[in-house]
Amino acid sequence: MGEKKQVWDRSRKGTGEVVLEEWVARALGTEGSYESARYFRGVQSVVLALGLAAVVLGTEPSIAPRHGSLLLAISYAVLGLFALEYWVRLVYAPALLRAREELSPAMLRLIWVVSVGGIADLLAWLPFLIALVMAPHPFDAQIYGALWILKLGRLAPRIGLLGRVVRHARQPLLAVFSAFLTILLIAATLGYLLERTQQPQTFGSIPKSLWWAITTLTTTGYGDAVPVTTFGRIMGGAVMVCGIFLFALWAGILATEFAQEMRRQDFLRTWDLVAKVPYFKGASAAAIAEVVRLLKPAEAAAGAVVMRRGDPGDAMYFLVEGEVEIQIRPEPVILGPGSFFGEMALLTGAPRTATVVARRRCILLLLDIVHFRELAATRPELLSAISEEAERRGSQTRAMSSVG
Ligand code: CMP
C-alpha cells in the first residue's frame, strides 16, 4: 500500500483549534457575507485609509515638518498590522483554501504565497521594511506604504470584475482600437501634409504631428499644437468628432459587458443560495435556473421587521441563513435556515397573519407575488408543498390562539 500523503487533517486537531481555524477562515475568506468577514473588512478599510492618508500627507512640505512623527507612527502601526495579517493568512492558508483539501498544508501555503492576493499582501510590508533598514531616513521608506493601495483589490472584490469585463469584451474593444489607430494615423498624415509649411516645429513630420493627432482624437486638446490653415482646422474638427464617436463606442461596449457580468455573478450567487433551500433540492438544473431567475437575494439585519401583521402580502421569503421569529400568540415560532414564510397572504389574498422579525442577520430569497404566481403555474408540486405547510401553520396558529 502506498504511503498516505499528509493532508490538512482537521480530525487530528482539538476542538478549540478547529473553532479558531473556522473563525479565521470566515473572517479572512472571500465569502464576505459572514458577520466576522464584514467587521474585518470594515476595520481593514479604516486601517488602509489611515495608512494611505499618512503616506500621502507625509510628502506634503506644509504638513510633514509639523506632524511628521505622528504620520510616521501611523505608518508603522499600519505596517505592523499588515505584516501580522500576512503571517495569519500564511498560517491559515490551508483553511482558507479549503476547496483544495487533497493538497498538503505546505503546498497550500505555497499556492497562497504566489497568488495575486499573496503577492499584494507581501508587497504591503516587505518593501517598506527593507527600505526602513536600508534608507537613511524613515521618511524615505514611508513612501513604500503607497503599495498598500494593492489591498483594495481584496476589499472591493468586484474590482476583479473589471479584468473579466475587458477579457470578455476584447473582440469589440480591439475592433474600436483598430479604428482608433487608423484615424490617428490618417489625422497625423493629413496634419503633416496641411500644416508642415506653416508650423514645421509641430507638424514637420508624421511622428511630430502624431502628438497633435492623439490629443485631438482623445479630445484632450492641450492647445499646445493647433492647426492654423483652413483645411487643417476643418480636419481638426472632424478628428474631434471621430474621437467622441470612438469613446462613446468604447464606453457602450464596456457598460454593456459590465452589466452582463454583474447579472452573471448575481445569477451564480442566487444559484448558490437556492441550492441551500431544501424545497428546491432534487429539481433539475433547468428548473433551478428558472427558480433562480425569479428569486432575488435579500438581507435583514438582526432585529429588523421583515413583515407586519395586517399588511398586504406582496412577497414570500425563503430563509437561507439566520433565524426569524413569527410573532404569534401565546408563543412565538422560530424558523431557521431552509424554511419559508410570508406564503399565507399570497395564497389566501388576506393580510399578513403575523409580524416576522429577524432574530439574527438573515440571508433571504425573496419571491414577489408576480413571480410566485409564475412559479406556482410552472411548478405545481412546489405550490402544493407550500400550501400544505401553510395549511398546517394556519391550524397551528388557530389552535395556539384558542389555547392562549
Ligand atoms: P403571512 O400570513 O403571509 O405572513 C406572516 C407569516 O408568518 C405567515 O404568512 C407564515 O409564513 C408565518 N406563520 C404564521 N403562523 C405560523 C406558524 N404557526 N408557524 C410558522 N409560521 C407561521
Side-chain angles (χ1 to χ4, degrees):
M1 216 168 82
E3 202 181 308
K4 197 170 183 298
K5 209 166 43 163
Q6 192 207 357
V7 293
W8 187 245
D9 186 359
R10 319 180 109 237
S11 59
R12 282 183 300 152
K13 295 179 165 221
T15 325
E17 229 176 313
V18 171
V19 170
L20 178 68
E21 185 185 293
E22 188 64 29
W23 188 85
V24 173
R26 284 182 172 197
L28 302 188
T30 44
E31 175 56 77
S33 56
Y34 292 110
E35 197 113 338
S36 49
R38 289 192 309 144
Y39 283 129
F40 180 75
R41 274 220 307 269
V43 170
Q44 209 186 22
S45 307
V46 173
V47 170
L48 185 61
L50 273 176
L52 287 174
V55 171
V56 171
L57 295 178
T59 62
E60 177 52 51
S62 61
I63 297 174
R66 271 184 294 145
H67 305 290
S69 347
L70 174 68
L71 296 177
L72 211 54
I74 294 175
S75 304
Y76 287 163
V78 174
L79 175 70
L81 287 174
F82 285 161
L84 179 69
E85 185 197 343
Y86 186 86
W87 178 78
V88 173
R89 281 190 185 277
L90 185 65
V91 170
Y92 287 94
L96 285 160
L97 301 174
R98 200 172 308 141
R100 313 184 62 174
E101 270 180 341
E102 74 284 0
L103 299 172
S104 69
M107 188 47 119
L108 288 168
R109 287 197 180 101
L110 185 68
I111 289 176
W112 177 76
V113 167
V114 297
S115 68
V116 177
I119 293 171
D121 284 335
L122 184 73
L123 290 176
W125 65 274
L126 193 60
F128 195 149
L129 207 65
I130 293 175
L132 263 185
V133 177
M134 315 270 279
H137 199 282
F139 288 110
D140 298 330
Q142 199 185 11
I143 195 67
Y144 286 93
L147 288 167
W148 294 333
I149 194 71
L150 297 176
K151 291 247 178 202
L152 208 59
R154 190 178 286 122
L155 282 176
R158 296 231 162 175
I159 244 177
L161 206 105
L162 295 179
R164 269 197 302 282
V165 165
V166 173
R167 229 176 307 129
H168 287 158
R170 66 184 179 282
Q171 299 286 3
L173 286 178
L174 273 176
V176 180
F177 187 62
S178 319
F180 180 86
L181 287 183
T182 311
I183 297 173
L184 187 70
L185 194 70
I186 291 174
T189 312
L190 287 177
Y192 161 70
L193 291 175
L194 296 169
E195 298 283 325
R196 66 185 155 168
T197 14
Q198 275 86 351
Q199 304 186 73
Q201 279 298 82
T202 326
F203 289 92
S205 68
I206 293 181
K208 273 184 185 160
S209 97
L210 262 176
W211 172 245
W212 165 79
I214 198 147
T215 55
T216 310
L217 192 55
T218 55
T219 65
T220 314
Y222 286 116
D224 56 342
V226 283
V228 290
T229 65
T230 310
F231 283 119
R233 287 189 165 173
I234 292 171
M235 194 258 302
V239 173
M240 284 182 227
V241 172
C242 287
I244 292 172
F245 175 73
L246 288 177
F247 279 95
L249 263 180
W250 246 322
I253 292 167
L254 286 173
T256 312
E257 190 55 45
F258 200 83
Q260 269 175 10
E261 188 60 35
M262 294 279 279
R263 234 174 289 136
R264 248 175 254 143
Q265 295 226 330
D266 287 344
F267 183 86
L268 288 176
R269 181 163 175 253
T270 313
W271 186 294
D272 282 349
L273 296 179
V274 167
K276 291 183 187 169
V277 177
Y279 287 91
F280 304 119
K281 286 227 167 88
S284 67
I288 292 196
E290 175 69 14
V291 169
V292 168
R293 195 178 58 77
L294 303 177
L295 292 170
K296 226 169 72 190
E299 282 187 21
V305 176
V306 186
M307 58 185 63
R308 274 182 207 284
R309 184 189 156 103
D311 281 356
D314 53 356
M316 68 171 288
Y317 297 85
F318 293 90
L319 185 55
V320 182
E321 260 176 54
E323 236 174 40
V324 292
E325 182 177 296
I326 315 285
Q327 296 185 336
I328 50 171
R329 262 176 283 201
E331 279 286 299
V333 173
I334 311 295
L335 295 181
S339 49
F340 60 78
F341 58 91
E343 78 294 352
M344 286 160 107
L346 300 194
L347 288 166
T348 60
R352 298 285 189 204
T353 53
T355 295
V356 180
V357 177
R359 279 163 63 95
R360 287 196 266 135
R361 184 174 156 267
C362 294
I363 297 183
L364 305 157
L365 284 167
L366 180 151
L367 181 64
D368 69 35
I369 187 156
V370 177
H371 291 142
F372 173 78
R373 301 245 156 89
E374 206 177 307
L375 194 65
T378 52
R379 292 188 44 110
E381 74 285 3
L382 185 69
L383 178 69
S384 54
I386 292 175
S387 307
E388 242 170 66
E389 179 63 15
E391 195 93 4
R392 192 197 62 77
R393 287 174 178 181
S395 32
Q396 185 195 13
T397 309
R398 279 190 296 277
M400 282 168 82
S401 55
S402 65
V403 171

PDB file of all heavy atoms in Angstrom, residues 307 326 328 333 335 340-346 351-356 392-394 396-397 400, ligand 1:
ATOM      1  N   MET A 307     -41.843  41.652   8.006  1.00  0.00           N
ATOM      2  CA  MET A 307     -43.235  41.942   7.609  1.00  0.00           C
ATOM      3  C   MET A 307     -44.063  42.172   8.863  1.00  0.00           C
ATOM      4  O   MET A 307     -43.711  41.692   9.942  1.00  0.00           O
ATOM      5  CB  MET A 307     -43.810  40.803   6.764  1.00  0.00           C
ATOM      6  CG  MET A 307     -43.797  39.456   7.422  1.00  0.00           C
ATOM      7  SD  MET A 307     -44.354  38.140   6.321  1.00  0.00           S
ATOM      8  CE  MET A 307     -43.143  38.146   5.049  1.00  0.00           C
ATOM      9  N   ILE A 326     -41.626  34.329  14.296  1.00  0.00           N
ATOM     10  CA  ILE A 326     -43.002  34.586  13.853  1.00  0.00           C
ATOM     11  C   ILE A 326     -43.767  34.949  15.121  1.00  0.00           C
ATOM     12  O   ILE A 326     -43.934  34.111  16.011  1.00  0.00           O
ATOM     13  CB  ILE A 326     -43.640  33.326  13.198  1.00  0.00           C
ATOM     14  CG1 ILE A 326     -42.671  32.655  12.208  1.00  0.00           C
ATOM     15  CG2 ILE A 326     -44.991  33.645  12.591  1.00  0.00           C
ATOM     16  CD1 ILE A 326     -42.478  33.335  10.917  1.00  0.00           C
ATOM     17  N   ILE A 328     -46.566  35.069  16.970  1.00  0.00           N
ATOM     18  CA  ILE A 328     -47.959  34.668  17.169  1.00  0.00           C
ATOM     19  C   ILE A 328     -48.166  34.369  18.650  1.00  0.00           C
ATOM     20  O   ILE A 328     -47.197  34.116  19.370  1.00  0.00           O
ATOM     21  CB  ILE A 328     -48.337  33.433  16.299  1.00  0.00           C
ATOM     22  CG1 ILE A 328     -47.302  32.318  16.472  1.00  0.00           C
ATOM     23  CG2 ILE A 328     -48.494  33.807  14.852  1.00  0.00           C
ATOM     24  CD1 ILE A 328     -47.717  31.029  15.841  1.00  0.00           C
ATOM     25  N   VAL A 333     -43.069  31.514  17.139  1.00  0.00           N
ATOM     26  CA  VAL A 333     -42.456  30.350  16.482  1.00  0.00           C
ATOM     27  C   VAL A 333     -41.149  30.819  15.858  1.00  0.00           C
ATOM     28  O   VAL A 333     -41.082  31.894  15.269  1.00  0.00           O
ATOM     29  CB  VAL A 333     -43.402  29.792  15.384  1.00  0.00           C
ATOM     30  CG1 VAL A 333     -42.716  28.691  14.573  1.00  0.00           C
ATOM     31  CG2 VAL A 333     -44.687  29.279  16.004  1.00  0.00           C
ATOM     32  N   LEU A 335     -38.222  30.174  13.125  1.00  0.00           N
ATOM     33  CA  LEU A 335     -37.902  29.427  11.904  1.00  0.00           C
ATOM     34  C   LEU A 335     -36.420  29.582  11.608  1.00  0.00           C
ATOM     35  O   LEU A 335     -35.843  30.657  11.776  1.00  0.00           O
ATOM     36  CB  LEU A 335     -38.719  29.952  10.721  1.00  0.00           C
ATOM     37  CG  LEU A 335     -40.240  29.783  10.782  1.00  0.00           C
ATOM     38  CD1 LEU A 335     -40.881  30.331   9.506  1.00  0.00           C
ATOM     39  CD2 LEU A 335     -40.627  28.319  10.960  1.00  0.00           C
ATOM     40  N   PHE A 340     -39.509  28.684   4.954  1.00  0.00           N
ATOM     41  CA  PHE A 340     -40.047  29.854   4.245  1.00  0.00           C
ATOM     42  C   PHE A 340     -41.136  30.497   5.086  1.00  0.00           C
ATOM     43  O   PHE A 340     -41.659  29.879   6.023  1.00  0.00           O
ATOM     44  CB  PHE A 340     -40.572  29.451   2.859  1.00  0.00           C
ATOM     45  CG  PHE A 340     -41.670  28.427   2.888  1.00  0.00           C
ATOM     46  CD1 PHE A 340     -42.974  28.787   3.192  1.00  0.00           C
ATOM     47  CD2 PHE A 340     -41.392  27.090   2.625  1.00  0.00           C
ATOM     48  CE1 PHE A 340     -43.990  27.846   3.234  1.00  0.00           C
ATOM     49  CE2 PHE A 340     -42.403  26.138   2.668  1.00  0.00           C
ATOM     50  CZ  PHE A 340     -43.698  26.512   2.977  1.00  0.00           C
ATOM     51  N   PHE A 341     -41.466  31.729   4.766  1.00  0.00           N
ATOM     52  CA  PHE A 341     -42.549  32.419   5.473  1.00  0.00           C
ATOM     53  C   PHE A 341     -43.127  33.502   4.562  1.00  0.00           C
ATOM     54  O   PHE A 341     -42.517  33.859   3.549  1.00  0.00           O
ATOM     55  CB  PHE A 341     -42.069  33.004   6.806  1.00  0.00           C
ATOM     56  CG  PHE A 341     -40.921  33.969   6.657  1.00  0.00           C
ATOM     57  CD1 PHE A 341     -41.148  35.332   6.480  1.00  0.00           C
ATOM     58  CD2 PHE A 341     -39.615  33.517   6.663  1.00  0.00           C
ATOM     59  CE1 PHE A 341     -40.098  36.212   6.335  1.00  0.00           C
ATOM     60  CE2 PHE A 341     -38.554  34.394   6.509  1.00  0.00           C
ATOM     61  CZ  PHE A 341     -38.793  35.747   6.343  1.00  0.00           C
ATOM     62  N   GLY A 342     -44.312  33.963   4.941  1.00  0.00           N
ATOM     63  CA  GLY A 342     -44.969  35.014   4.152  1.00  0.00           C
ATOM     64  C   GLY A 342     -45.791  34.445   3.012  1.00  0.00           C
ATOM     65  O   GLY A 342     -46.271  35.178   2.146  1.00  0.00           O
ATOM     66  N   GLU A 343     -45.976  33.097   3.027  1.00  0.00           N
ATOM     67  CA  GLU A 343     -46.692  32.447   1.925  1.00  0.00           C
ATOM     68  C   GLU A 343     -48.206  32.552   2.083  1.00  0.00           C
ATOM     69  O   GLU A 343     -48.945  32.553   1.101  1.00  0.00           O
ATOM     70  CB  GLU A 343     -46.263  30.973   1.822  1.00  0.00           C
ATOM     71  CG  GLU A 343     -46.879  30.001   2.832  1.00  0.00           C
ATOM     72  CD  GLU A 343     -46.456  30.251   4.279  1.00  0.00           C
ATOM     73  OE1 GLU A 343     -45.557  31.077   4.495  1.00  0.00           O
ATOM     74  OE2 GLU A 343     -47.044  29.649   5.192  1.00  0.00           O
ATOM     75  N   MET A 344     -48.688  32.660   3.366  1.00  0.00           N
ATOM     76  CA  MET A 344     -50.135  32.568   3.609  1.00  0.00           C
ATOM     77  C   MET A 344     -50.888  33.705   2.926  1.00  0.00           C
ATOM     78  O   MET A 344     -51.908  33.474   2.273  1.00  0.00           O
ATOM     79  CB  MET A 344     -50.405  32.547   5.116  1.00  0.00           C
ATOM     80  CG  MET A 344     -50.036  31.200   5.727  1.00  0.00           C
ATOM     81  SD  MET A 344     -49.783  31.314   7.470  1.00  0.00           S
ATOM     82  CE  MET A 344     -51.151  30.552   8.152  1.00  0.00           C
ATOM     83  N   ALA A 345     -50.370  34.917   3.067  1.00  0.00           N
ATOM     84  CA  ALA A 345     -51.055  36.065   2.462  1.00  0.00           C
ATOM     85  C   ALA A 345     -51.087  35.938   0.936  1.00  0.00           C
ATOM     86  O   ALA A 345     -52.043  36.364   0.291  1.00  0.00           O
ATOM     87  CB  ALA A 345     -50.362  37.359   2.876  1.00  0.00           C
ATOM     88  N   LEU A 346     -50.063  35.331   0.358  1.00  0.00           N
ATOM     89  CA  LEU A 346     -50.036  35.172  -1.101  1.00  0.00           C
ATOM     90  C   LEU A 346     -51.057  34.130  -1.541  1.00  0.00           C
ATOM     91  O   LEU A 346     -51.704  34.262  -2.578  1.00  0.00           O
ATOM     92  CB  LEU A 346     -48.643  34.740  -1.590  1.00  0.00           C
ATOM     93  CG  LEU A 346     -47.463  35.665  -1.312  1.00  0.00           C
ATOM     94  CD1 LEU A 346     -46.258  35.277  -2.143  1.00  0.00           C
ATOM     95  CD2 LEU A 346     -47.809  37.113  -1.601  1.00  0.00           C
ATOM     96  N   PRO A 351     -54.661  39.701   4.581  1.00  0.00           N
ATOM     97  CA  PRO A 351     -53.470  40.383   5.129  1.00  0.00           C
ATOM     98  C   PRO A 351     -52.553  39.411   5.875  1.00  0.00           C
ATOM     99  O   PRO A 351     -52.959  38.296   6.201  1.00  0.00           O
ATOM    100  CB  PRO A 351     -54.059  41.422   6.092  1.00  0.00           C
ATOM    101  CG  PRO A 351     -55.498  41.500   5.768  1.00  0.00           C
ATOM    102  CD  PRO A 351     -55.910  40.208   5.160  1.00  0.00           C
ATOM    103  N   ARG A 352     -51.350  39.872   6.164  1.00  0.00           N
ATOM    104  CA  ARG A 352     -50.373  39.062   6.897  1.00  0.00           C
ATOM    105  C   ARG A 352     -50.958  38.607   8.228  1.00  0.00           C
ATOM    106  O   ARG A 352     -51.567  39.415   8.949  1.00  0.00           O
ATOM    107  CB  ARG A 352     -49.114  39.890   7.201  1.00  0.00           C
ATOM    108  CG  ARG A 352     -48.359  40.374   5.983  1.00  0.00           C
ATOM    109  CD  ARG A 352     -47.594  39.275   5.354  1.00  0.00           C
ATOM    110  NE  ARG A 352     -46.696  39.735   4.321  1.00  0.00           N
ATOM    111  CZ  ARG A 352     -46.259  38.968   3.324  1.00  0.00           C
ATOM    112  NH1 ARG A 352     -46.668  37.713   3.215  1.00  0.00           N
ATOM    113  NH2 ARG A 352     -45.419  39.436   2.445  1.00  0.00           N
ATOM    114  N   THR A 353     -50.712  37.332   8.576  1.00  0.00           N
ATOM    115  CA  THR A 353     -51.291  36.802   9.819  1.00  0.00           C
ATOM    116  C   THR A 353     -50.396  37.063  11.024  1.00  0.00           C
ATOM    117  O   THR A 353     -50.813  36.863  12.159  1.00  0.00           O
ATOM    118  CB  THR A 353     -51.489  35.276   9.689  1.00  0.00           C
ATOM    119  OG1 THR A 353     -50.236  34.709   9.293  1.00  0.00           O
ATOM    120  CG2 THR A 353     -52.561  34.932   8.679  1.00  0.00           C
ATOM    121  N   ALA A 354     -49.159  37.430  10.799  1.00  0.00           N
ATOM    122  CA  ALA A 354     -48.235  37.650  11.926  1.00  0.00           C
ATOM    123  C   ALA A 354     -47.130  38.618  11.530  1.00  0.00           C
ATOM    124  O   ALA A 354     -46.853  38.800  10.346  1.00  0.00           O
ATOM    125  CB  ALA A 354     -47.622  36.314  12.360  1.00  0.00           C
ATOM    126  N   THR A 355     -46.522  39.218  12.567  1.00  0.00           N
ATOM    127  CA  THR A 355     -45.324  40.048  12.336  1.00  0.00           C
ATOM    128  C   THR A 355     -44.117  39.110  12.377  1.00  0.00           C
ATOM    129  O   THR A 355     -44.062  38.211  13.213  1.00  0.00           O
ATOM    130  CB  THR A 355     -45.210  41.110  13.447  1.00  0.00           C
ATOM    131  OG1 THR A 355     -46.339  41.976  13.317  1.00  0.00           O
ATOM    132  CG2 THR A 355     -43.934  41.925  13.326  1.00  0.00           C
ATOM    133  N   VAL A 356     -43.190  39.309  11.446  1.00  0.00           N
ATOM    134  CA  VAL A 356     -41.999  38.452  11.399  1.00  0.00           C
ATOM    135  C   VAL A 356     -40.764  39.332  11.608  1.00  0.00           C
ATOM    136  O   VAL A 356     -40.577  40.338  10.921  1.00  0.00           O
ATOM    137  CB  VAL A 356     -41.903  37.709  10.049  1.00  0.00           C
ATOM    138  CG1 VAL A 356     -40.662  36.819  10.020  1.00  0.00           C
ATOM    139  CG2 VAL A 356     -43.164  36.892   9.785  1.00  0.00           C
ATOM    140  N   ARG A 392     -51.028  23.693   7.548  1.00  0.00           N
ATOM    141  CA  ARG A 392     -50.603  23.203   8.867  1.00  0.00           C
ATOM    142  C   ARG A 392     -50.379  24.378   9.822  1.00  0.00           C
ATOM    143  O   ARG A 392     -50.821  24.377  10.954  1.00  0.00           O
ATOM    144  CB  ARG A 392     -49.312  22.392   8.703  1.00  0.00           C
ATOM    145  CG  ARG A 392     -48.922  21.585   9.925  1.00  0.00           C
ATOM    146  CD  ARG A 392     -47.484  21.136   9.871  1.00  0.00           C
ATOM    147  NE  ARG A 392     -46.529  22.236   9.838  1.00  0.00           N
ATOM    148  CZ  ARG A 392     -46.190  22.966  10.888  1.00  0.00           C
ATOM    149  NH1 ARG A 392     -46.721  22.742  12.053  1.00  0.00           N
ATOM    150  NH2 ARG A 392     -45.307  23.955  10.763  1.00  0.00           N
ATOM    151  N   ARG A 393     -49.706  25.416   9.288  1.00  0.00           N
ATOM    152  CA  ARG A 393     -49.401  26.581  10.123  1.00  0.00           C
ATOM    153  C   ARG A 393     -50.682  27.288  10.545  1.00  0.00           C
ATOM    154  O   ARG A 393     -50.828  27.704  11.691  1.00  0.00           O
ATOM    155  CB  ARG A 393     -48.526  27.573   9.360  1.00  0.00           C
ATOM    156  CG  ARG A 393     -47.109  27.076   9.201  1.00  0.00           C
ATOM    157  CD  ARG A 393     -46.306  28.004   8.334  1.00  0.00           C
ATOM    158  NE  ARG A 393     -44.935  27.559   8.206  1.00  0.00           N
ATOM    159  CZ  ARG A 393     -44.011  28.191   7.511  1.00  0.00           C
ATOM    160  NH1 ARG A 393     -44.319  29.286   6.853  1.00  0.00           N
ATOM    161  NH2 ARG A 393     -42.795  27.728   7.445  1.00  0.00           N
ATOM    162  N   GLY A 394     -51.610  27.398   9.608  1.00  0.00           N
ATOM    163  CA  GLY A 394     -52.883  28.075   9.893  1.00  0.00           C
ATOM    164  C   GLY A 394     -53.593  27.386  11.035  1.00  0.00           C
ATOM    165  O   GLY A 394     -54.026  28.030  12.008  1.00  0.00           O
ATOM    166  N   GLN A 396     -52.273  25.387  13.242  1.00  0.00           N
ATOM    167  CA  GLN A 396     -51.463  25.501  14.477  1.00  0.00           C
ATOM    168  C   GLN A 396     -51.715  26.854  15.144  1.00  0.00           C
ATOM    169  O   GLN A 396     -51.949  26.945  16.350  1.00  0.00           O
ATOM    170  CB  GLN A 396     -49.978  25.348  14.135  1.00  0.00           C
ATOM    171  CG  GLN A 396     -49.092  25.345  15.371  1.00  0.00           C
ATOM    172  CD  GLN A 396     -47.611  25.556  15.032  1.00  0.00           C
ATOM    173  OE1 GLN A 396     -47.262  25.942  13.920  1.00  0.00           O
ATOM    174  NE2 GLN A 396     -46.759  25.291  15.989  1.00  0.00           N
ATOM    175  N   THR A 397     -51.696  27.919  14.308  1.00  0.00           N
ATOM    176  CA  THR A 397     -51.910  29.262  14.859  1.00  0.00           C
ATOM    177  C   THR A 397     -53.293  29.351  15.510  1.00  0.00           C
ATOM    178  O   THR A 397     -53.446  29.873  16.609  1.00  0.00           O
ATOM    179  CB  THR A 397     -51.775  30.318  13.739  1.00  0.00           C
ATOM    180  OG1 THR A 397     -50.554  30.078  13.063  1.00  0.00           O
ATOM    181  CG2 THR A 397     -51.796  31.728  14.286  1.00  0.00           C
ATOM    182  N   MET A 400     -53.280  27.373  18.756  1.00  0.00           N
ATOM    183  CA  MET A 400     -52.499  28.050  19.801  1.00  0.00           C
ATOM    184  C   MET A 400     -53.245  29.253  20.343  1.00  0.00           C
ATOM    185  O   MET A 400     -53.279  29.505  21.545  1.00  0.00           O
ATOM    186  CB  MET A 400     -51.117  28.478  19.255  1.00  0.00           C
ATOM    187  CG  MET A 400     -50.146  27.317  19.191  1.00  0.00           C
ATOM    188  SD  MET A 400     -48.704  27.705  18.270  1.00  0.00           S
ATOM    189  CE  MET A 400     -47.716  28.553  19.438  1.00  0.00           C
TER     190      MET A 400
HETATM  191  P1  CMP B   1     -48.251  35.529   6.132  1.00  0.00           P
HETATM  192  O1  CMP B   1     -49.561  35.458   6.787  1.00  0.00           O
HETATM  193  O2  CMP B   1     -48.194  35.957   4.712  1.00  0.00           O
HETATM  194  O3  CMP B   1     -47.277  36.474   6.996  1.00  0.00           O
HETATM  195  C1  CMP B   1     -46.869  36.046   8.279  1.00  0.00           C
HETATM  196  C2  CMP B   1     -46.222  34.686   8.148  1.00  0.00           C
HETATM  197  O4  CMP B   1     -45.868  34.048   9.343  1.00  0.00           O
HETATM  198  C3  CMP B   1     -47.210  33.712   7.524  1.00  0.00           C
HETATM  199  O5  CMP B   1     -47.522  34.096   6.230  1.00  0.00           O
HETATM  200  C4  CMP B   1     -46.491  32.435   7.719  1.00  0.00           C
HETATM  201  O6  CMP B   1     -45.491  32.256   6.744  1.00  0.00           O
HETATM  202  C5  CMP B   1     -45.835  32.647   9.054  1.00  0.00           C
HETATM  203  N1  CMP B   1     -46.615  31.938  10.093  1.00  0.00           N
HETATM  204  C6  CMP B   1     -47.821  32.230  10.590  1.00  0.00           C
HETATM  205  N2  CMP B   1     -48.190  31.317  11.507  1.00  0.00           N
HETATM  206  C7  CMP B   1     -47.185  30.438  11.611  1.00  0.00           C
HETATM  207  C8  CMP B   1     -46.930  29.253  12.381  1.00  0.00           C
HETATM  208  N3  CMP B   1     -47.827  28.802  13.264  1.00  0.00           N
HETATM  209  N4  CMP B   1     -45.768  28.589  12.194  1.00  0.00           N
HETATM  210  C9  CMP B   1     -44.831  29.055  11.324  1.00  0.00           C
HETATM  211  N5  CMP B   1     -45.021  30.145  10.579  1.00  0.00           N
HETATM  212  C10 CMP B   1     -46.164  30.825  10.705  1.00  0.00           C
END
